[in-house]
């Protein structure tokens, strides 16, 4: 009796192991390990070496001390520093995330230095509607710049400059020695974020949306295989496309509703947030579906790679400027890039999302056309053997 029970247990234990579903599940788990390791470690390899790609716009309106101070720091810091003639122009670039910080020296900077009752102020602005790393790095940089101006540009080199603005030599010497404590930094950040969880909304929505779309298309692919013999390729494609549209409406409504329920509101209104989420969710669904049309069942593993690539290249975690050139190029064609940019603009503040919507619609159109071509090509290939068979008979 005991031997019989042991044999039964062995049979029951070995049966699940031999099941194709279990084997596929194990391969999927291993694929996650391999792809995430390859993509994430190559994407973030020596990331800090690319910090010089971060840009700082310098606006100097003081042609005496300010000019000397700017000359003293240009080229010395490991960042791309460029002078801008207009503060408005520099702030526009900051709003559009073309620069990571704006440094402004006002026209009365020299006067503030020569007045013992005042502090000479350098104003910095950071766009907080960015990965949190940008704010922390730029705050540290602003402190370094202020210290550099104090120690190198002001204390050691400003005596002659002060004399040029008609300050007596004796007073110029004493002032130049005390200036290191008189230049101060002032932060005027745009789109300040008071709740840290809001900075995580872009990554959360990207992750939840694409993983959900991956799972939906995988199950839909299983269902399509079960009825493939009963339905034509075009009928299946039409049915899957309609299901994608219906699913995107449901996913978008629930997703946008949950975000609003948790207290995260769009600066451009709930309707715009819903519409934008619909744009990227339906794009994710058709992109995930395309993987199955190209690679059949292996499309699930391709989607794992797409998930990892989009998390890295979207700019949700770290600035895209720091990524290797290969991944920066990929980001231009990734729907996740435009999804995250639009979410940042809607939730944390930024320009209009029209460019992001246009990019998503362009990707969606290209994916639908490619899917249609694949189905048409498969249909054509299937027709040729039948025609040859009919001719032979």
């Amino acid at each position: 009796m005991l031997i019989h029970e042991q044999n039964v247990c062995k049979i029951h234990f070995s049966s699940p192991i031999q099941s194709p579903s279990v084997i596929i599940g194990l391969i999927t788990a291993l694929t996650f390990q391999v792809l995430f390791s390859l993509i994430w470690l190559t994407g973030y390899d020596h990331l800090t070496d690319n910090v010089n790609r971060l840009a700082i716009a310098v606006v100097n309106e003081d042609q005496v001390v300010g000019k000397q101070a700017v000359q003293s720091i240009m080229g010395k810091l490991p960042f791309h520093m460029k002078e801008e003639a207009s503060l408005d122009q520099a702030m526009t670039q900051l709003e559009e995330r073309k620069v990571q910080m704006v440094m402004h020296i006002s026209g009365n900077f020299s006067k503030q230095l020569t007045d013992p009752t005042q502090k000479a102020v350098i104003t910095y602005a950071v766009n907080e509607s960015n990965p949190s790393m940008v704010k922390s790095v730029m705050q540290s940089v602003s402190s370094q710049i202020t210290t550099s101006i104090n120690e190198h540009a002001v204390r050691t080199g400003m005596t002659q400059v002060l004399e040029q603005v008609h300050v007596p030599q004796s007073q110029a010497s004493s002032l130049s020695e005390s200036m290191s404590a008189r230049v101060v930094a002032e932060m005027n950040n745009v789109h300040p974020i008071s709740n840290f969880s809001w900075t995580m909304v872009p990554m959360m929505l990207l992750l939840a949306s694409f993983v959900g779309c991956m799972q939906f298309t995988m199950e839909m692919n299983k269902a399509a295989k079960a009825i493939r013999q009963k339905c034509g390729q075009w009928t299946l494609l039409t049915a899957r496309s309609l299901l994608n549209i219906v699913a995107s409406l449901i996913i978008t409504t629930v997703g946008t509703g949950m975000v609003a329920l948790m207290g995260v509101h769009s600066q451009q209104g709930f309707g715009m947030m819903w519409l934008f989420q619909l744009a990227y969710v339906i794009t994710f669904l058709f992109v995930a579906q395309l993987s199955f049309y190209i690679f059949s069942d292996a499309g699930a593993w391709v989607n794992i790679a797409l998930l990892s690539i989009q998390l890295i290249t979207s700019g949700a975690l770290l600035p895209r400027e720091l990524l290797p050139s290969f991944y920066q190029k990929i980001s231009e064609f990734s729907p996740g890039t435009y999804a995250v940019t639009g979410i940042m603009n809607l939730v944390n503040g930024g320009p209009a999302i029209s460019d992001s919507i246009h990019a998503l619609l362009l990707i969606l159109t290209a994916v639908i056309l490619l899917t249609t071509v694949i189905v048409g090509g498969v249909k054509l290939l299937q027709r040729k053997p039948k025609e040859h068979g009919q001719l032979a008979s």
Side-chain angles (χ1 to χ4, degrees):
M1 182 68 178
L2 181 60
I3 295 174
H4 174 71
E5 289 179 354
Q6 288 177 344
N7 291 334
V8 170
C9 290
K10 287 180 180 179
I11 294 172
H12 288 172
F13 181 74
S14 61
S15 296
I17 293 179
Q18 296 173 358
S19 170
S21 298
V22 174
I23 296 173
I24 292 173
L26 179 59
I27 294 174
T28 301
L30 295 175
T31 302
F32 267 100
Q33 296 291 326
V34 173
L35 291 179
F36 268 60
S37 296
L38 287 174
I39 295 170
W40 283 69
L41 293 181
T42 56
Y44 289 153
D45 187 39
H46 293 91
L47 197 74
T48 53
D49 294 345
N50 300 327
V51 73
N52 60 332
R53 296 177 183 173
L54 297 178
I56 300 174
V58 180
V59 181
N60 174 47
E61 298 174 350
D62 184 273
Q63 297 304 311
V64 187
V65 180
K67 184 177 181 180
Q68 295 285 337
V70 170
Q71 290 176 350
S72 71
I73 61 171
M74 294 293 285
K76 293 184 178 179
L77 294 174
F79 299 98
H80 176 53
M81 303 188 69
K82 55 181 182 178
E83 290 193 70
E84 296 291 343
S86 166
L87 180 60
D88 290 339
Q89 182 179 353
M91 293 303 291
T92 299
Q93 293 186 37
L94 183 67
E95 177 83 0
E96 297 174 352
R97 302 183 183 89
K98 294 179 180 178
V99 298
Q100 281 67 51
M101 185 170 70
V102 172
M103 170 186 168
H104 177 224
I105 298 178
S106 63
N108 62 346
F109 187 75
S110 296
K111 183 179 179 181
Q112 290 174 336
L113 281 174
T114 58
D115 188 346
T117 64
Q118 296 188 51
K119 294 285 187 180
V121 179
I122 301 177
T123 305
Y124 301 93
V126 175
N127 186 354
E128 293 191 27
S129 181
N130 268 305
S132 55
M133 175 187 177
V134 172
K135 179 182 177 181
S136 60
V137 169
M138 289 303 153
Q139 284 180 335
S140 175
V141 171
S142 65
S143 177
Q144 293 178 31
I145 292 175
T146 304
T147 301
S148 176
I149 292 176
N150 273 321
E151 294 180 353
H152 300 288
V154 179
R155 176 181 290 181
T156 61
M158 290 297 109
T159 300
Q160 293 181 354
V161 177
L162 290 170
E163 291 176 358
Q164 292 175 8
V165 292
H166 309 296
V167 177
Q169 182 177 2
S170 58
Q171 187 179 356
S173 299
S174 60
L175 280 172
S176 63
E177 290 296 325
S178 63
M179 280 180 189
S180 60
R182 302 190 56 218
V183 179
V184 296
E186 181 179 286
M187 297 297 298
N188 290 331
N189 293 347
V190 298
H191 305 306
I193 300 173
S194 58
N195 190 336
F196 178 77
S197 66
W198 286 39
T199 64
M200 304 305 295
V201 170
M203 187 192 72
M204 180 271 292
L205 286 177
L206 171 63
L207 184 61
S209 298
F210 195 79
V211 171
C213 292
M214 282 173 53
Q215 291 297 115
F216 178 78
T217 53
M218 184 169 64
E219 295 302 322
M220 189 164 58
N221 187 64
K222 292 179 182 178
K225 287 176 63 179
I227 61 174
R228 184 175 296 169
Q229 302 300 326
K230 301 177 182 179
C231 302
Q233 291 286 343
W234 293 116
T235 303
L236 274 177
L237 176 61
T238 302
R240 293 175 74 161
S241 299
L242 290 174
L243 283 172
N244 280 343
I245 295 172
V246 173
S248 65
L249 291 170
I250 297 173
I251 294 170
T252 297
T253 302
V254 173
T256 309
M258 282 300 301
V259 170
L261 186 65
M262 298 303 294
V264 180
H265 302 289
S266 167
Q267 296 191 5
Q268 300 181 32
F270 179 87
M272 185 59 70
M273 183 71 178
W274 184 91
L275 181 63
F276 183 70
Q277 187 163 4
L278 177 65
Y280 68 75
V281 167
I282 196 170
T283 303
F284 288 164
L285 282 169
F286 277 93
V287 168
Q289 176 181 271
L290 178 61
S291 298
F292 286 100
Y293 273 101
I294 296 176
F295 301 101
S296 188
D297 291 338
W301 303 328
V302 175
N303 284 333
I304 293 173
L306 290 177
L307 169 64
S308 189
I309 289 172
Q310 288 188 104
L311 285 173
I312 289 178
T313 61
S314 66
L317 295 172
L318 294 172
R320 288 189 294 273
E321 291 82 1
L322 301 183
L323 298 176
S325 300
F326 172 73
Y327 285 97
Q328 286 192 47
K329 196 65 179 176
I330 290 178
S331 71
E332 298 176 8
F333 303 95
S334 169
T337 299
Y338 305 102
V340 166
T341 300
I343 296 168
M344 283 182 176
N345 292 343
L346 287 170
V347 175
N348 298 325
I353 61 171
S354 54
D355 289 344
S356 295
I357 290 180
H358 291 159
L360 287 169
L361 293 179
L362 184 62
I363 294 172
L364 176 61
T365 302
V367 168
I368 291 175
L369 288 175
L370 182 56
T371 304
T372 304
V373 169
I374 291 173
V375 172
V378 170
K379 191 73 174 177
L380 184 62
L381 291 174
Q382 290 175 345
R383 185 182 302 171
K384 285 184 176 181
K386 292 181 180 179
E387 292 176 351
H388 288 306
Q390 291 174 355
L391 291 173
S393 64

